[in-house]
Amino acid sequence: EYFYYDNGVISDSKLGTAEFTAYVQKEKSADGNYHRCATDEGEKKVEEGTHEKKTISIDLAALCKKFTAEDCPVLMGTLGLAEEPIPLWWTADMINASLGECWTAVPVAEQKWVVGEFNCSCVGISKCLPAYCKPDTPNVSWKDIPAEEAGHATKYGDIVGKEAAAMLKV
């Protein structure tokens, strides 16, 4: 029921229509596709003239309902997991496949979405990588995570904690 997008949009409230922005190449790459760049590089790429800013509207409530009510049961059955609950903390990277061009605006009612990737192992944990102890950084801790990243990680943790507590009835 929660959505996060790499430009910082996160929803932990009632889902509705949201607008998402991406910075997309003006010309197709050698592979024949338009690719987007990292959000934090977008304005620079627009100024350089290689990318353009694209915004699409998405009905998150309808997308969530269709995915969880219609698509997940088929997927879980296909994987032989029909009787298992879906993971508490996971992502499905959704791609707008309405026209074969991910960032072309299409009316919400006509949008078609496909899953590009599932992740159940480390969702949101990448925000905590600065606190990951390695041989070259053995003394890092939560304090080494930049404030904005720590804020995102805390929000993820609070959402999952709230859901887990509700499931455990505590």
Side-chain angles (χ1 to χ4, degrees), residues 52-71:
E52 61 186 323
K53 186 175 183 178
K54 299 259 190 165
T55 302
I56 62 170
S57 294
I58 302 168
D59 184 341
L60 296 174
L63 180 60
C64 182
K65 181 178 179 183
K66 182 185 181 310
F67 184 65
T68 57
E70 298 174 28
D71 300 334

Side-chain angles (χ1 to χ4, degrees), residues 24-119:
V24 183
Q25 289 174 315
K26 286 184 174 181
E27 296 182 20
K28 289 183 178 182
S29 294
D31 64 6
N33 295 304
Y34 294 101
H35 297 281
R36 67 183 180 97
C37 67
T39 304
D40 58 352
E41 298 174 6
E43 293 296 335
K44 178 182 172 200
K45 298 283 188 179
V46 169
E47 287 176 20
E48 293 172 355
T50 61
H51 288 64
E52 61 186 323
K53 186 175 183 178
K54 299 259 190 165
T55 302
I56 62 170
S57 294
I58 302 168
D59 184 341
L60 296 174
L63 180 60
C64 182
K65 181 178 179 183
K66 182 185 181 310
F67 184 65
T68 57
E70 298 174 28
D71 300 334
C72 277
V74 172
L75 175 67
M76 296 296 279
T78 301
L79 295 172
L81 302 171
E83 303 304 316
E84 297 294 325
I86 60 174
L88 176 61
W89 196 353
W90 64 294
T91 65
D93 293 349
M94 308 297 282
I95 300 169
N96 179 5
S98 304
L99 299 174
E101 295 180 0
C102 183
W103 292 102
T104 300
V106 174
V108 170
E110 298 173 23
Q111 292 176 0
K112 294 181 178 134
W113 292 86
V114 296
V115 173
E117 175 184 3
F118 287 102
N119 187 341

